[in-house]
Amino acid sequence: MSFTIQNALIPVDSAYETADVQVVDNCISAIAPNNPSFNSPAYQGGDRGSGTVIDGKNKLLLPGFVNAHTHSSEMWQRGIIPPLPLELWIAELYDFTPLDPEQVYLSALGTAVETLLSGGTSVVDHLVLIPGQELETIAAAVRAYQEIGIRAFIGPLIQDESLTAGMPAGDSGMEHAAYIRSTKTTLELMETAIKQFHNPEKGVNMLLAPTGIQLCSDALFEGCIELSDHYNLCRHAHLLETPAQKQLAHEKYGCSAVEHLQRIGYLSPRTSLAHCVWLDDSDIAIMAETGATVVHNPLSNLRLGSGIAPILKYRQAGVNVSFGCDGAASNDSQDLLEAIKIGSILHNITDLDYRQWITPRQSVEMASMGGAKGLNLADEMGSLTVGKKADFVLYDLTSLSLLPRTDPIGLLILGRPTNAVDGVWVNGKQIVAEGKVKTIDVDALRRELFDRSEWTSKRQSQTVSEIEAHYRQVMKLQGYS
């Protein structure tokens, strides 16, 4: 497949230039200035001739962003879970989790559509599994992502401890029920899934993704390390999302969660960790030393009252940072541009030194190259560079939300872009054209999501009722009932 995007605006150093970008065999083969006299080293020469020609005039071309952490099946519960902290929010979520693989398929499609139309070309799905139908769950998500054509990284969300184990025990001596699957069975399931579904050439990559220290034993983490090393796969997990998890880590390990994960070997340049809100300076130093990536999920951290991750400290320490939407019941959307905006300007209130604040261009780099690094694919994607995969996005600079003409990237990141994505390519294949997804029937998807759901405003979670008093007690909140 060969084509050339002509006259597109691309960022160069601290300015912009119009350029022609040629794609051959799904990779960028040449980037050349539209003005032949321009000699910036950012451009690489090549034959600009063959294949389809696409008009990029008045459009901004950027590398595709990575939605580096989400849970696609949460789409069925967005807008309904009341204001609760994570430990209670997740109890309600699990009480009403979809138990139908077809719902998983539809919500994965919905997640992909929203990601694509907000600048994303890759999605990391920390996929919630239906008990007893685990492989069917993964197959449903794989089918969705392959049909639509987004680059997918699927990390089945696994644990080997029950939900109540995710809260600090305090002085209660609380006992926990056995989890539905043994550690051994869970690891065997993951190896089967890897052999069955891992297929990077077809856009599907499997990750090892224990949910986090709050619901996983060391044996599960260590088994995931062995599998990821054996199959050369990346690792993913939640890390210190809430104050309760920080307290729990000290109960379990007598040290911070980051120290413990370093001791057992889970942290590496192939490891990405969602949230990382409650890390101290010594933890941040470990993250930098091990090369692990922080996935910043600002909207869910605000929605659940989890806190503000110290992203400026991470950046100053040299820790790689990317952005995620998180699941659509803790956000409650998959608008990647919204997550990037909030995740950038939120930190202006955490450090008075404005020279440390995140610029729009730095945000773009975090969302693209930062995401690629977290997936160990910085050599293959994440920038407009000859030889890299043709995963990129054209933004329509005549869109009302990107006018008047000032700084295109500033408008994109600091504004509220609507209908701004004109075209999206993944691995050289055009997925979005003239702002419309080409590969699936989005109207049919909307009808399915509408018909399979119903308006509701009140429901009662039995699990929340059972554990709320304990949560309030260990977190020293007024009134235990």
Side-chain angles (χ1 to χ4, degrees), residues 158-179:
I158 52 174
Q159 63 192 76
D160 59 355
E161 296 176 355
S162 63
L163 188 63
T164 56
M167 290 192 293
D171 299 325
S172 68
M174 190 176 187
E175 294 186 5
H176 313 295
Y179 189 61

Side-chain angles (χ1 to χ4, degrees), residues 126 155-158 187 190 207-213 216-229 233-239 253 257-274 276 286-287 290-293:
H126 208 177
L157 190 150
I158 52 174
L187 291 170
M190 288 304 96
L207 311 178
L208 277 303
T211 184
I213 63 102
C216 299
S217 68
D218 282 358
L220 186 60
F221 274 109
E222 289 162 355
C224 287
I225 294 168
E226 290 177 12
L227 286 172
S228 67
D229 288 347
L233 302 179
C234 288
R235 305 194 278 262
H236 190 63
H238 299 97
L239 179 62
Y253 312 126
V258 177
E259 289 178 79
H260 186 74
L261 291 180
Q262 182 191 33
R263 287 174 187 170
I264 64 175
Y266 195 76
L267 305 181
S268 78
R270 289 190 289 120
T271 304
S272 61
L273 299 157
C276 298
I286 292 171
M287 294 289 287
T290 58
T293 290

Side-chain angles (χ1 to χ4, degrees), residues 10-17 361 407-409:
I10 66 171
V12 187
D13 299 325
S14 59
Y16 298 90
E17 292 291 342
R361 288 198 177 218
D407 176 12
I409 289 178

